[in-house]
Amino acid sequence: MSRLIDNSISIYEALQNIKDGRYVMPAFQRQFVWGTEQIEKLWDSILLDYPIATFLFWHVDDSNVSWDTYFCSFLSEVTFDSRKQADTVNYELTSINVKNTNIAVLDGQQRLTSMYLSLLGHAYIRPKNSRKKSGDKIVTKLLIELNKNKITVDEEEYNSKKYDIKFSEKIGRLSPTQFEIKNILDDKFQNDATRETAIEEAIVNVPGDSKDYARSILTKLYNKIFVEKLVRYTEIKEMKQDDALEMFVRFNSGGKALRKSEITMSILEAYWPSAKTEFGKILVDSYAGFGTDFIIRSALMLYGDVVKSNINKKIAEELKNDWNGFKQALTNLESLLKEMKIDVSRFSSSWNVLLPIIYYIYYSSDYVKNIKGIQAYLLRAIFFTYFQSGTTGKLQQMKSNIISFDYDITIEMLDQMNDLRVTDGKIEDVLNSEKGSRVAGEVLYYLNLSWTNKSFKYEQDHLHPDNRFSESKPVSVSMEEWRKWRGVRNRLPNLHLLEGRSNGSKNAMRLVDYYNDMNDEQKAEFIEQAMIPQDLSLEIEDFEKLYEARKSLLAERIRELLG
């Protein structure tokens, strides 16, 4: 059973333990995410005598550390982007010798890293518009203003800094009354015999009416770092990694700023430290924009329980050991979609629909012979908004059905599922989808795959322009008919896909005028691409005939797409 020991040490002692390698972090810790303002406020809180919360330490030794227990070293330098947010790569893995290293930090690494960077490390700012890979960066130093007459903070403002503490990259033009906080580590400050002299030398340029203020700040800063036992911690002894991981998750599932996806990633990294690096290699090019959640949910689909959505040691190790097979399934998915003239990047924000296909590809060697079944599933799921709610339950339903049909996706299987069965009612709902809706956009995209060019941008457009229905009705049309037409003008039978520049030139032109401005070849192409039945009038007076004829044609085409 674990034992808890409460203790406290000075900030300097804690930072020396980091420097000497006594303190490390378990690999499941997230990367450093604090910005410069949070570090500035931490030091402000320290000087204001505010508590900096309790730290949670995990005692590691030969009894609870094995070859697959991974740790990371603390960062000795951090680069912040132009918005002053941490922009440094993740911590590097390190091996440990428990004779020297005996503490892994479970809670408090952001605070400890911030203090370490301030006093013993180095901080940089990446200039605006400078690329991360360029390596361009400017040294920045943490300073405190000693001249109380120059302090710019508002003491009355809620949650603001009360001391003028800030990072500055203007180190070549420092004010003589600014003090770099890490200079408190100079031997003169640490030696009782020379500390007073060191303080007087540091404040020599401070005006007379601020010298007492400056002396009090530097004396207090020294005491806060070297004398007072501000790092209060609970050390947990005799605890295994799985329990430490569980405790970390518990701590970060409450009011702290770890999202569930970050916690899941931390759990995965505990058993596979290079997971984030390997994920990054996939999440470029074809799968850019998909995010780590996509890979984790795919792994749960293949190796675990997609409903519970919990990564555990078994799933993490299966994914790690089968990483090449997993990557091959994603490569095969991209190739399959390309054969269907669909770009995989289209699903970067709606990737749940792809997971059953990944599962099918992974477990069936004959998937290449079943494009029809895969397309029927994919388009039914999209057109019928299958994953609009109950996502994990729907994924489990697809997984179970694929298994029960001998690891296959068939029309017969889909027709046995209420949500994916093609019915007149569902087709009618699709046809009634309106301009701007996701369904209308998806249907137009897939209906026109045979001629669209992925290099061009296409837009949903009215055939008979919307503004025509705001004008007075044609004389030959009754008011009742006109109201009916206005009510359906935004629905799919009056919509088509038009390349952006053409849409701009068409604008609010009457359909018949737009058509008559074309030559014979252009007219034939327009009629085919807009899916307009032959020999129909394009005059507004004949709107209903065109609408109903096109509705029937679209219904037929949609049914063909859905298998």
Side-chain angles (χ1 to χ4, degrees):
M1 180 178 291
S2 301
R3 292 187 296 117
L4 305 181
I5 299 173
D6 293 324
N7 207 341
S8 59
I9 56 177
S10 70
I11 289 175
Y12 184 71
E13 287 177 286
L15 300 189
Q16 279 298 124
N17 285 335
I18 293 174
K19 183 179 179 181
D20 295 340
R22 278 198 63 215
Y23 289 4
V24 292
M25 289 173 296
F28 49 76
Q29 279 278 21
R30 58 176 168 168
Q31 67 183 52
F32 183 66
V33 296
W34 273 23
T36 56
E37 184 178 4
Q38 288 164 293
I39 301 174
E40 292 162 0
K41 282 190 174 181
L42 173 63
W43 283 106
D44 195 63
S45 297
I46 290 171
L47 289 176
L48 285 168
D49 300 319
Y50 293 168
I52 55 174
T54 302
F55 296 78
L56 185 63
F57 293 167
W58 169 30
H59 184 89
V60 293
D61 54 35
D62 286 328
S63 68
N64 59 10
V65 171
S66 62
W67 67 270
D68 61 348
T69 308
Y70 303 100
F71 297 96
C72 298
S73 299
F74 276 80
L75 293 172
S76 60
E77 64 176 57
V78 165
T79 300
F80 300 93
D81 62 23
S82 59
R83 294 172 295 127
K84 306 297 180 70
Q85 296 300 307
D87 193 24
T88 298
V89 295
N90 209 345
Y91 300 101
E92 292 186 3
L93 292 177
T94 184
S95 57
I96 69 168
N97 181 346
V98 293
K99 292 179 181 178
N100 178 58
T101 302
N102 57 7
I103 292 296
V105 177
L106 288 182
D107 189 56
Q109 62 112 338
Q110 300 290 329
R111 287 165 284 157
L112 283 173
T113 300
S114 295
M115 291 187 286
Y116 189 75
L117 289 169
S118 303
L119 295 176
L120 296 174
H122 302 281
Y124 303 92
I125 300 290
R126 180 169 290 108
K128 191 175 182 179
N129 300 323
S130 176
R131 293 189 175 183
K132 196 170 182 178
K133 292 182 178 179
S134 70
D136 294 341
K137 56 187 181 182
I138 303 168
V139 174
T140 182
K141 296 184 176 182
L142 185 63
L143 310 171
I144 184 167
E145 178 58 60
L146 300 180
N147 182 355
K148 66 179 182 181
N149 301 312
K150 295 174 68 174
I151 291 178
T152 57
V153 299
D154 183 353
E155 293 188 2
E156 301 301 320
E157 184 182 348
Y158 175 73
N159 197 30
S160 67
K161 291 180 294 183
K162 302 304 184 284
Y163 292 91
D164 195 348
I165 301 172
K166 60 188 175 186
F167 278 94
S168 174
E169 55 267 34
K170 299 176 182 177
I171 56 177
R173 302 192 301 276
L174 289 185
S175 162
T177 59
Q178 286 179 310
F179 180 81
E180 185 180 0
I181 285 180
K182 68 166 50 178
N183 286 341
I184 203 73
L185 300 184
D186 288 353
D187 290 340
K188 284 185 178 181
F189 284 99
Q190 295 191 52
N191 190 318
D192 291 342
T194 58
R195 187 175 309 119
E196 186 175 335
T197 301
I199 290 175
E200 292 305 316
E201 289 176 353
I203 68 172
V204 66
N205 293 307
V206 175
D209 62 348
S210 287
K211 284 193 184 292
D212 285 344
Y213 171 80
R215 287 188 192 100
S216 68
I217 285 181
L218 294 182
T219 301
K220 192 168 193 177
L221 184 62
Y222 170 81
N223 288 329
K224 292 294 182 183
I225 293 171
F226 292 101
V227 180
E228 298 181 29
K229 307 293 187 182
L230 295 186
V231 179
R232 301 177 180 90
Y233 63 86
T234 297
E235 182 178 346
I236 308 168
K237 292 196 170 187
E238 300 169 15
M239 184 171 66
K240 299 291 186 182
Q241 172 176 285
D242 287 352
D243 295 323
L245 179 57
E246 172 71 17
M247 186 171 290
F248 170 80
V249 171
R250 292 286 181 93
F251 262 71
N252 288 286
S253 297
K256 302 198 176 183
L258 268 184
R259 299 188 305 271
K260 183 176 181 181
S261 60
E262 291 177 306
I263 292 174
T264 303
M265 199 66 205
S266 293
I267 295 171
L268 182 59
E269 287 182 290
Y271 303 110
W272 185 19
S274 58
K276 190 171 289 183
T277 301
E278 292 297 331
F279 284 16
K281 295 174 184 176
I282 286 181
L283 299 175
V284 295
D285 302 327
S286 302
Y287 288 95
F290 277 67
T292 57
D293 280 358
F294 163 67
I295 298 180
I296 290 171
R297 185 68 71 85
S298 298
L300 288 166
M301 189 80 178
L302 296 184
Y303 313 116
D305 188 336
V306 75
V307 175
K308 291 183 179 178
S309 298
N310 289 328
I311 284 281
N312 55 32
K313 183 176 183 179
K314 175 179 175 294
I315 296 170
E317 291 184 342
E318 282 198 60
L319 179 60
K320 177 176 68 173
N321 295 333
D322 187 41
W323 186 236
N324 287 333
F326 181 89
K327 289 191 295 183
Q328 188 60 53
L330 296 189
T331 300
N332 292 342
L333 170 65
E334 182 188 2
S335 300
L336 180 68
L337 291 174
K338 190 175 291 185
E339 192 170 341
M340 296 162 63
K341 298 183 179 179
I342 302 170
D343 195 327
V344 69
S345 64
R346 186 171 184 82
F347 300 95
S348 61
S349 61
S350 56
W351 43 258
N352 278 306
V353 72
L354 297 179
L355 301 189
I357 304 176
I358 294 172
Y359 183 82
Y360 174 47
I361 288 173
Y362 182 86
Y363 284 104
S364 173
S365 58
D366 293 332
Y367 73 90
V368 290
K369 302 175 182 177
N370 189 28
I371 288 182
K372 183 177 180 181
I374 294 171
Q375 177 179 289
Y377 152 72
L378 181 63
L379 299 191
R380 290 186 193 197
I382 293 171
F383 291 7
F384 300 159
T385 61
Y386 180 54
F387 289 106
Q388 191 169 37
S389 61
T391 300
T392 56
K394 301 283 179 62
L395 289 172
Q396 185 57 48
Q397 182 185 39
M398 280 299 302
K399 183 174 177 177
S400 298
N401 285 342
I402 291 171
I403 293 171
S404 65
F405 274 79
D406 295 326
Y407 290 91
D408 203 357
I409 295 177
T410 67
I411 302 297
E412 179 188 1
M413 180 192 86
L414 299 174
D415 286 343
Q416 290 182 16
M417 301 172 64
N418 288 334
D419 291 327
L420 295 179
R421 182 185 305 126
V422 178
T423 65
D424 291 341
K426 289 197 184 88
I427 296 296
E428 187 69 19
D429 288 342
V430 171
L431 292 167
N432 287 336
S433 60
E434 298 201 343
K435 186 176 187 289
S437 71
R438 185 181 183 100
V439 171
E442 297 285 6
V443 172
L444 288 172
Y445 171 79
Y446 288 106
L447 281 173
N448 294 288
L449 271 180
S450 61
W451 62 270
T452 49
N453 185 328
K454 68 177 183 179
S455 300
F456 296 156
K457 180 182 177 182
Y458 295 90
E459 299 171 355
Q460 299 178 38
D461 179 58
H462 291 93
L463 283 172
H464 283 288
D466 179 60
N467 72 334
R468 180 62 187 90
F469 295 91
S470 301
E471 300 171 359
S472 58
K473 70 175 183 65
V475 176
S476 60
V477 179
S478 70
M479 185 56 69
E480 183 180 354
E481 286 178 309
W482 190 241
R483 290 196 188 100
K484 177 183 174 184
W485 296 359
R486 290 180 62 183
V488 300
R489 71 189 187 280
N490 288 320
R491 295 183 180 176
L492 195 63
N494 190 40
L495 303 178
H496 69 129
L497 209 58
L498 199 60
E499 196 268 323
R501 290 171 298 180
S502 300
N503 192 20
S505 63
K506 178 176 181 284
N507 201 5
M509 285 180 67
R510 294 194 315 154
L511 177 59
V512 65
D513 293 337
Y514 178 69
Y515 177 76
N516 286 334
D517 276 352
M518 302 176 187
N519 59 38
D520 289 344
E521 183 179 345
Q522 290 170 332
K523 286 178 179 178
E525 184 179 75
F526 173 71
I527 291 294
E528 180 181 354
Q529 292 179 355
M531 290 173 282
I532 297 174
Q534 294 289 335
D535 303 324
L536 283 176
S537 168
L538 303 182
E539 296 283 359
I540 188 67
E541 289 85 353
D542 297 305
F543 172 79
E544 186 166 10
K545 291 179 181 177
L546 174 63
Y547 185 92
E548 293 299 330
R550 194 163 181 268
K551 184 177 180 180
S552 296
L553 179 58
L554 290 177
E556 180 184 332
R557 298 274 178 90
I558 291 169
R559 285 181 181 276
E560 289 174 4
L561 283 179
L562 300 180

